[in-house]
Amino acid sequence: MVTGCGLKDLAAPKDEWCSYTAEMDSVKLDAYFYYATADKSVTIDDNRTINLVKGLNVVIADVDSAENSVIAEGVTSGKKAYYFQSFAEGQKMSVEGDDGSDKSFSVSSTAWLLIYAANYGGWDTYSNKTLPIVKYSTSYESVQNLKDSFDLKKVLKKIALSKLIEILDSDSAE
């Protein structure tokens, strides 16, 4: 798949934030992906730092500010909620399959390429390499848990992983 249909020249960005706006259950959310080639820290403001691991780093965020977050419980500050999770290179990552079961794969630059290619043309990148939750830190609030309907496995499936799930299904059939 990666070498066919003109994708052999496609390169998924590394060390740069990429975003994709998805809709789940009539609710829009922003998803930010950063494939880091080395561990690093990003300072959000004077009090907060995000540690990015070598591998895939994912942020899910509310699109609009609201009194109650659409993606997380307990956000009443009027700020946009965001949820952050890292997957180290080589770590198993799970996504929801079409049948509702979990499918897993090892995080790698090839897996990131497949995720990126699944929605090629639908991504925005930040040439200044600054994630909006960093640039506008006073507008965002970190949350530890997503609402059940926004389980990260479901979000990842919705955003870009349907092709990857097909590949995982064909690999397990062999």
Side-chain angles (χ1 to χ4, degrees):
M1 176 186 141
V2 175
T3 58
C5 303
L7 290 177
K8 67 181 179 180
D9 297 323
L10 175 68
K14 294 181 181 170
D15 297 319
E16 181 175 15
W17 286 106
C18 299
S19 72
Y20 184 84
T21 300
E23 188 170 317
M24 292 185 63
D25 302 324
S26 302
V27 174
K28 288 186 178 180
L29 59 118
D30 287 330
Y32 302 93
F33 292 77
Y34 189 103
Y35 195 89
T37 57
D39 292 350
K40 57 185 81 176
S41 295
V42 176
T43 302
I44 295 178
D45 56 31
D46 292 339
N47 301 318
R48 296 182 291 165
T49 300
I50 291 179
N51 295 313
L52 304 176
V53 301
K54 180 179 179 182
L56 190 59
N57 299 273
V58 180
V59 174
I60 305 298
D62 281 325
V63 170
D64 298 312
S65 178
E67 278 304 309
N68 292 303
S69 169
V70 296
I71 66 167
E73 301 289 352
V75 178
T76 58
S77 63
K79 295 182 179 184
K80 298 178 185 181
Y82 75 90
Y83 172 81
F84 172 73
Q85 187 165 351
S86 293
F87 301 92
E89 201 168 82
Q91 177 182 349
K92 290 286 187 185
M93 181 179 191
S94 293
V95 297
E96 180 184 80
D98 291 332
D99 61 0
S101 65
D102 286 354
K103 308 289 183 184
S104 63
F105 62 95
S106 293
V107 172
S108 66
S109 60
T110 302
W112 168 228
L113 173 61
L114 290 171
I115 294 168
Y116 186 78
N119 277 330
Y120 184 67
W123 297 92
D124 288 323
T125 57
Y126 297 92
S127 58
N128 64 1
K129 297 179 176 34
T130 302
L131 178 65
I133 64 169
V134 174
K135 192 171 183 180
Y136 306 106
S137 64
T138 57
S139 301
Y140 286 88
E141 178 179 339
S142 175
V143 295
Q144 298 300 313
N145 298 301
L146 294 171
K147 289 182 179 178
D148 288 343
S149 59
F150 290 100
D151 181 292
L152 190 57
K153 294 174 190 175
K154 293 177 183 179
V155 172
L156 292 171
K157 175 188 173 188
K158 179 68 177 180
I159 292 170
L161 297 177
S162 59
K163 294 294 181 195
L164 186 55
I165 290 168
E166 288 174 25
I167 291 168
L168 291 170
D169 282 340
S170 66
D171 283 348
S172 63
E174 295 175 358

